[in-house]
Amino acid sequence: MKSILENRPALAAEIDKVAEVAGYLWQKGWAERNGGNITVNVTEHVDDAVRALPAISERYPIGTVLPHLKGCFFFCKGTNRRMRDLARRPMENGSVIRIADDCASYEIVADAPVKPTSELASHLAMHNKMIADGKGYKAAIHTHPIDLVAMTHNPAFLEKDVLTNLLWSMIPETRAFCPKGLGIVPYKMPSSVELAEATIGALQEYDVVMWEKHGVCAVGPDIFEAFDQIDVLSKSAQIYLTAKAMGFEPTGTTQEQMDELKRAFDL
Ligand code: 13P
Ligand code: ZN
């Protein structure tokens, strides 16, 4: 079978990035079984031949109407597919979908009829918002980092910006590279439209959003940058946990030091 990636180097390069990040998620222990999902808006890499591809699946409802996605193409991890398999064989463990003109349904067009992630409503809602914002963001990721998810089991950390300030204060880079901090979405049923809507609400203020007792979502210009934001937050969580394991409460950088950083980096 001919892959959609053949003779399309720009599209293939995007899928390579997805595979690379999928490998990191597995190596980090954030992707047990099928845990987590990745989607990338690949519309700019699609030519007339791809646009004319017939559907290879029935038409599925998204569950919500997303007006900015009309005619867009996305690479999506398949539901129930393992990240570690996506890393090695992305086109067998994910697929390219096309959003229908009603902006409320989609069809799979390539390579195989692999049904997209169960969190598609959240992913597509994030992409709809990214297009509306006009910042050129193309990637969305959801993953289950052990340290960050563990922190959401403490109600005090779920208050607005408590976790953001704690994580920023562990190492200066976290503030520099995750300047908007970490939004909190109170627990909602996985895969639900309610979860998608709450995620979009939190993304008004943040590029990274925590789903209480479940996982993290991040958006970015490409999948590397979305991953990096979760990675720096997880590093801070590790520093906090390591200090606690050594038997003391970490002091954290001072508010003055953080303000100085904010001015210096124009955050
Ligand atoms: P999928 O296998 O459907 O992508 O689900 C994984 C997950 O993390 C759900 O929240
Ligand atoms: Zn999940």
Side-chain angles (χ1 to χ4, degrees), residues 4-5 8 10-16 18 39-47 50-51 71-76 91 95-98 109-110 124 127 131 137-139 221:
I4 192 181
L5 304 185
R8 293 191 178 90
L11 182 59
E14 287 307 310
I15 306 307
D16 276 353
V18 169
T39 58
V40 179
N41 185 340
V42 294
T43 312
E44 68 183 309
H45 305 300
V46 154
D47 51 32
V50 171
R51 271 187 285 274
C72 284
F73 289 78
F74 295 92
F75 175 80
C76 309
M91 294 309 285
S95 57
V96 174
I97 64 166
R98 175 174 52 222
V109 297
L124 292 181
H127 285 289
I131 294 173
Y137 280 21
K138 297 280 161 58

Side-chain angles (χ1 to χ4, degrees), residues 164 168 173-181 207 229 262 266-267:
T164 294
W168 276 350
E173 272 78 358
T174 302
R175 174 116 205 215
F177 298 123
C178 188
K180 294 184 178 176
D207 279 349
Q229 298 220 34
K262 187 167 184 251
D266 197 19
L267 299 173

Side-chain angles (χ1 to χ4, degrees), residues 194-209:
E194 293 70 38
L195 181 58
E197 283 167 359
T199 304
I200 298 317
L203 280 182
Q204 305 292 348
E205 255 186 273
Y206 306 92
D207 279 349
V208 192
V209 170

Side-chain angles (χ1 to χ4, degrees), residues 134-207:
K135 290 190 292 188
Y137 280 21
K138 297 280 161 58
I141 179 171
H142 159 63
T143 185
H144 301 166
I146 303 162
D147 37 31
L148 292 169
V149 175
M151 290 176 109
T152 70
H153 288 263
N154 175 5
F157 288 158
L158 300 176
E159 298 294 323
K160 187 170 166 54
D161 292 334
V162 170
L163 211 42
T164 294
N165 283 301
L166 177 72
L167 296 171
W168 276 350
S169 77
M170 289 298 107
I171 176 170
E173 272 78 358
T174 302
R175 174 116 205 215
F177 298 123
C178 188
K180 294 184 178 176
L182 180 62
I184 306 284
V185 170
Y187 185 84
K188 300 260 178 329
M189 182 65 189
S191 317
S192 63
V193 171
E194 293 70 38
L195 181 58
E197 283 167 359
T199 304
I200 298 317
L203 280 182
Q204 305 292 348
E205 255 186 273
Y206 306 92
D207 279 349

Side-chain angles (χ1 to χ4, degrees), residues 34-37 77-81 117-119 142 144 190 211 214:
N34 61 312
N37 18 79
K77 191 206 85 155
T79 187
N80 241 323
R81 300 301 174 119
T117 170
S118 58
E119 301 290 4
H142 159 63
H144 301 166
W211 288 348
H214 179 168

